[in-house]
Amino acid sequence: MTLPAGVGRVLYTEEQVAARVLEIAAEIDKKYQGREIKLIGVLKGSVFFLTALARALNVPVKIDFLAISSFSGASGALQGMVRIAKDLDDPIQDEDVLLIEDIVDTGLTTRYLLQTLAGRGPRSLGICTLLDRHVRRLVQVPVEFRCFEIPDRFVVGCGLDYRQLYRNLGCIAVMNPDKQ
Ligand code: IMP
Ligand code: MG
């Protein structure tokens, strides 16, 4: 697949992403050996990562999704406020839950989701993210599994979008909107 104009430097190729997903899956298998886990994906960004991860896991896996809408561009009191636009289909009580994220950036979205899910009585609750942009973190969240730490650049691919485009790129690349 040729890269569209505006999609710049490739940070991780499709092959590198696939290899790293296998490594993370092995870590998760090890930790949850003998148990079953529920992967919870945040629509839409985490879908590509979640399905790749699920296929690489050996432990029994259930999946569920939620969707959020954020007050994007908001500052002050509204910054980081998120609303659940589509809730999970099923309860998570007494289950081992892994929240699957495309990227943990400021951490505000993840923190909100963690607090919400924790209130539903899961047996355990962990975070697994494809990308971690730690330099922009505003609130600390316990990221247990991460595929890649990335620099402070806006990226697309592997589920991440720019104006809803480029989620289906196999690689992870830096976006340069000016060149679009
Ligand atoms: P947080 O609340 O700041 O951690 O925001 C996380 C959300 O912002 C992610 O789930 C993405 O939807 C979006 N996001 C943050 N950085 C990027 C990026 O570089 N590319 C695409 N989406 C991003
Ligand atoms: Mg987005």
Side-chain angles (χ1 to χ4, degrees):
M1 186 177 185
T2 48
L3 289 178
V7 176
R9 187 164 65 95
V10 173
L11 293 181
Y12 296 102
T13 65
E14 186 165 355
E15 291 72 26
Q16 286 172 317
V17 172
R20 187 70 185 124
V21 169
L22 291 182
E23 286 178 359
I24 289 294
E27 283 182 33
I28 294 172
D29 272 337
K30 199 168 157 198
K31 172 164 180 190
Y32 293 93
Q33 201 179 16
R35 294 189 264 167
E36 63 177 40
I37 52 178
K38 178 171 280 183
L39 306 180
I40 292 186
V42 186
L43 296 170
K44 314 180 188 70
S46 74
V47 167
F48 291 79
F49 175 46
L50 183 144
T51 55
L53 182 69
R55 293 177 72 158
L57 286 169
N58 289 307
V59 290
V61 160
K62 294 179 183 173
I63 62 175
D64 204 346
F65 293 97
L66 51 77
I68 52 174
S69 58
S70 50
F71 298 85
S72 58
S75 58
L78 278 186
Q79 195 192 19
M81 272 188 53
V82 179
R83 186 177 62 79
I84 293 189
K86 177 225 171 286
D87 207 337
L88 299 172
D89 288 335
D90 298 308
I92 54 170
Q93 177 131 27
D94 298 326
E95 294 192 284
D96 288 303
V97 171
L98 256 189
L99 179 63
I100 309 296
E101 291 271 23
D102 52 355
I103 182 167
V104 181
D105 188 33
T106 61
L108 291 166
T109 307
T110 310
R111 183 179 66 170
Y112 171 82
L113 291 175
L114 270 190
Q115 285 171 348
T116 303
L117 296 175
R120 300 181 186 188
R123 179 168 176 232
S124 68
L125 180 56
I127 304 170
C128 173
T129 187
L130 175 65
L131 303 178
D132 189 349
R133 200 193 282 119
H134 196 258
V135 291
R136 279 182 33 98
R137 200 74 95 246
L138 292 178
V139 293
Q140 294 311 313
V141 284
V143 176
E144 188 165 4
F145 303 100
R146 73 172 56 68
C147 291
F148 303 107
E149 171 79 47
I150 61 161
D152 193 4
R153 302 294 305 276
F154 193 87
V155 297
V156 293
C158 290
L160 291 112
D161 72 301
Y162 170 71
R163 297 184 176 170
Q164 298 303 326
L165 284 171
Y166 314 127
R167 293 190 195 275
N168 59 324
L169 290 179
C171 63
I172 295 164
V174 172
M175 183 72 209
N176 294 315
D178 302 344
K179 294 191 183 159
Q180 216 188 14

